[in-house]
């Protein structure tokens, strides 16, 4: 598990909500292996409701029946994931994904299934039951599947150890745990218990916690217990949501580092919301997608694709695999926002950072409603001499004496690497 760069991969939520199936996952994994693995994308993550046989949209079925084993642990629904039949769980699917050179992840909800509490099923390795460890006053505001677990109850620790033992046996490499990042400090002890169980399960797994916005004052806790934490609520293809990410990235940029990655959520590119019909391609313009990819990369946020990859057009594939942008994402250090200012009535935002070995990156965003030309004094970036390098999106060689001279599309960006 390489913790020097933030995770890159695909998550099923943006395109399929709760409806994703094994066939869809396999097809997307094959596409990633053939087209994106060489650029560093490696995680294939199944999002919420994989244990619910009747899931049919981005909406949840309240108090629905879930597939569960005798030890209060959720297991895949066989009608959606047929290779899990006979108690195999996700292992056959994980084995296939691993055979492609990729890594496998799943979404889980904090806590223990309500149906386990109602049936009073056992906790593995103990004489305790789900009802004895549940914290029934601790519930999710938007999903009815789970109760919280009371860390002070005997059997609570063993429950979390048992689910991560199960996930390790399946070959899981990535856990997205939901209903926990923004609930702090109310559920802080449960998060700590969950994290310890994962770290002690005998298999390396990335821990990503959701939803956001995460609490800035809890940054050191997030870094101690997890690898990724959501700094936003669900992110979709709307310019106001993208614009607001600049402020979030500015606040959180000092907390990126080895194994710790503030998470700006999935990239809603290509076909999304497939349960609403195949016509639902991202509403972001091409320039807005360039802005999004530039910001996530200069900020070093995880690059988790949200769209149906097998239906990507040429633009989307090139957007996600631009060699210079991916190199910036992986190798920039000490990135931060330099300024936000208006020039001729058009707002610009400038970020910079250094390459881990040599050189400097500069990204200029035009968040205004008109195309613009901008001059950025090199001295304002603490560059004292003339520079030469490459504009990463166009792959054009550039050189500047005292000012960077850039033409930037409305809602677009340019990104430079100066050697």
């Amino acid at each position: 598990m390489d913790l020097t760069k933030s995770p890159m991969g695909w998550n099923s939520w943006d395109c399929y909500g709760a409806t994703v199936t094994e066939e869809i996952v396999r097809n997307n994994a094959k596409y990633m292996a053939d087209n994106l693995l060489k650029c560093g994308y490696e995680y294939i993550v199944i999002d919420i409701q994989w244990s619910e046989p009747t899931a049919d949209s981005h909406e949840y079925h309240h108090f629905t029946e879930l597939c569960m084993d005798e030890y209060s642990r959720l297991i895949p629904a066989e009608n959606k994931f047929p290779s899990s039949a006979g108690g195999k769980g996700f292992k056959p699917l994980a084995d296939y994904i691993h055979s492609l050179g990729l890594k496998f992840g799943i979404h889980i909800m904090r806590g223990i299934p309500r149906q386990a509490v109602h049936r009073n099923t056992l906790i593995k390795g103990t004489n305790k039951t789900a009802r004895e460890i549940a914290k029934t006053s601790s519930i999710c505001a938007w999903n009815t599947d789970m109760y919280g677990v009371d860390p002070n109850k005997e059997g609570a620790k063993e429950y979390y150890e048992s689910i991560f033992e199960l996930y390790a046996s399946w070959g899981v490499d990535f856990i997205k745990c939901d209903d926990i990042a923004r609930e702090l400090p109310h559920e802080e002890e449960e998060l700590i218990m969950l994290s310890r169980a994962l770290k002690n399960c005998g298999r390396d797994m990335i821990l990503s916690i959701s939803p956001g916005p995460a609490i800035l004052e809890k940054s050191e806790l997030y870094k101690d217990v997890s690898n990724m934490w959501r700094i936003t609520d669900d992110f979709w293809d709307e310019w106001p949501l993208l614009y607001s990410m600049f402020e979030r990235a500015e606040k959180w940029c000092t907390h990126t580092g080895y194994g710790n990655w503030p998470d700006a959520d999935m990239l809603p590119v290509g076909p999304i919301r497939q349960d609403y019909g195949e016509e639902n391609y991202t509403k972001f313009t091409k320039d807005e997608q360039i802005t999004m990819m530039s910001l996530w990369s200069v900020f070093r946020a995880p690059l988790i694709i949200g769209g149906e990859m097998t239906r990507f057009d040429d633009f989307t594939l090139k957007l996600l695999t631009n060699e210079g942008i991916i190199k910036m994402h992986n190798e920039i250090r000490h990135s931060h926002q330099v300024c936000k200012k208006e020039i001729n009535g058009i707002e610009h935002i400038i970020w910079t950072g250094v390459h881990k070995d040599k050189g400097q990156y500069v990204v200029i965003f035009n968040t205004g409603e008109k195309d613009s030309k901008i001059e950025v004094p090199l001295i304002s970036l603490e560059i004292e001499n003339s520079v030469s390098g490459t504009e990463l999106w166009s792959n054009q060689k550039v050189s500047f004496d005292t000012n960077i001279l850039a033409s930037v599309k409305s809602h677009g960006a340019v990104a430079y690497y100066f050697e």
Side-chain angles (χ1 to χ4, degrees):
M1 185 165 63
D2 182 3
L3 298 179
T4 63
K5 66 182 186 70
S6 66
M8 299 168 62
W10 176 84
N11 178 288
S12 62
W13 172 256
D14 280 2
C15 42
Y16 294 105
T19 70
V20 71
T21 64
E22 180 167 351
E23 181 181 10
I24 291 168
V25 173
R26 286 176 177 262
N27 290 342
N28 276 274
K30 183 65 165 60
Y31 183 92
M32 178 178 285
D34 291 344
N35 298 281
L36 295 160
L37 176 60
K38 61 188 176 184
C39 299
Y41 295 91
E42 58 181 346
Y43 289 101
I44 295 288
V45 182
I46 297 172
D47 212 274
I48 197 167
Q49 303 304 111
W50 43 262
S51 63
E52 183 196 343
T54 62
D56 57 6
S57 72
H58 274 79
E59 307 301 322
Y60 304 119
H61 296 159
H62 296 317
F63 306 106
T64 191
E65 183 81 5
L66 305 175
C67 296
M68 187 179 75
D69 71 8
E70 68 271 31
Y71 295 120
S72 311
R73 303 177 298 186
L74 296 178
I75 56 176
E78 293 180 12
N79 65 318
K80 296 167 69 175
F81 300 95
S83 71
S84 69
K88 297 185 181 71
F90 274 128
K91 189 175 191 313
L93 180 54
D95 286 347
Y96 171 73
I97 289 171
H98 292 153
S99 76
L100 299 174
L102 303 174
K103 296 180 180 179
F104 176 63
I106 59 173
H107 172 289
I108 66 171
M109 293 292 291
R110 170 185 65 87
I112 192 164
R114 291 191 188 193
Q115 70 186 43
V117 177
H118 299 158
R119 297 173 188 175
N120 208 25
T121 46
L122 287 170
I123 304 302
K124 186 179 181 184
T126 76
N127 60 359
K128 300 300 178 182
T129 65
R131 193 172 299 167
E132 292 177 273
I133 69 168
K135 190 176 182 180
T136 56
S137 62
S138 177
I139 58 176
C140 177
W142 43 267
N143 181 284
T144 60
D145 291 347
M146 314 292 273
Y147 287 127
V149 169
D150 187 339
N152 299 312
K153 295 294 181 64
E154 185 180 348
K157 171 175 169 287
E158 288 79 5
Y159 166 71
Y160 270 115
E161 290 173 343
S162 76
I163 65 171
F164 286 110
E165 175 188 60
L166 180 64
Y167 304 154
S169 74
W170 290 345
V172 173
D173 306 295
F174 185 109
I175 294 289
K176 175 185 173 181
C177 185
D178 219 333
D179 189 39
I180 203 161
R182 71 179 176 208
E183 301 304 316
L184 303 179
H186 183 56
E187 308 302 348
E188 186 171 318
E189 291 184 12
E190 187 173 1
L191 172 57
I192 293 170
M193 181 173 64
L194 179 154
S195 174
R196 287 174 179 167
L198 181 150
K199 290 176 181 178
N200 293 327
C201 76
R203 183 178 180 84
D204 286 338
M205 299 181 196
I206 292 289
L207 178 58
S208 167
I209 58 176
S210 291
I215 302 166
L216 191 60
E217 293 77 11
K218 291 289 181 179
S219 58
E220 295 307 313
L221 173 67
Y222 295 132
K223 286 187 275 190
D224 185 52
V225 300
S226 68
N227 304 107
M228 296 166 50
W229 57 93
R230 278 267 295 278
I231 62 172
T232 178
D233 205 337
D234 284 4
F235 176 76
W236 285 105
D237 49 337
E238 301 170 15
W239 172 251
L241 295 179
L242 178 52
Y243 179 73
S244 71
M245 201 65 72
F246 283 96
E247 181 179 357
R248 299 179 190 278
E250 181 186 17
K251 290 179 179 178
W252 283 99
C253 65
T254 59
H255 297 283
T256 61
Y258 182 81
N260 297 133
W261 313 107
D263 178 15
D265 203 10
M266 279 88 76
L267 301 165
V269 295
I272 56 176
R273 298 185 180 95
Q274 294 300 281
D275 52 314
Y276 296 136
E278 292 190 357
E279 73 280 2
N280 285 286
Y281 222 80
T282 183
K283 295 194 296 288
F284 279 140
T285 67
K286 289 181 178 180
D287 289 310
E288 287 168 349
Q289 292 177 69
I290 287 171
T291 284
M292 175 175 61
M293 190 68 178
S294 299
L295 179 59
W296 267 238
S297 296
V298 73
F299 174 45
R300 303 177 75 191
L303 297 180
I304 308 297
I305 299 163
E308 167 55 63
M309 292 187 287
T310 65
R311 293 182 52 231
F312 278 174
D313 59 13
D314 186 60
F315 170 82
T316 306
L317 182 59
K318 288 181 177 178
L319 174 86
L320 296 169
T321 58
N322 180 289
E323 183 177 352
I325 295 296
I326 296 299
K327 186 178 179 67
M328 177 174 70
H329 173 261
N330 292 339
E331 299 183 1
I332 195 171
R333 300 292 185 266
H334 312 299
S335 55
H336 60 280
Q337 182 172 304
V338 176
C339 65
K340 177 192 290 187
K341 61 182 179 180
E342 282 197 10
I343 300 176
N344 297 324
I346 299 175
E347 184 183 74
H348 297 81
I349 299 174
I350 301 173
W351 277 66
T352 191
V354 297
H355 184 269
K356 66 182 182 69
D357 295 322
K358 180 183 179 182
Q360 183 168 344
Y361 291 99
V362 178
V363 184
I364 303 171
F365 301 93
N366 173 2
T367 56
E369 301 306 314
K370 297 179 181 180
D371 297 353
S372 73
K373 294 184 178 180
I374 182 174
E375 293 188 20
V376 181
L378 292 176
I379 194 67
S380 71
L381 302 167
E382 298 186 352
I383 300 173
E384 297 182 0
N385 303 307
S386 60
V387 292
S388 61
T390 305
E391 199 287 308
L392 302 179
W393 287 110
S394 63
N395 199 34
Q396 295 294 311
K397 295 297 182 182
V398 296
S399 60
F400 303 111
D401 290 327
T402 57
N403 298 311
I404 297 173
L405 307 176
S407 296
V408 193
K409 296 286 189 179
S410 170
H411 293 190
V414 292
Y416 298 104
Y417 171 62
F418 298 126
E419 300 169 1

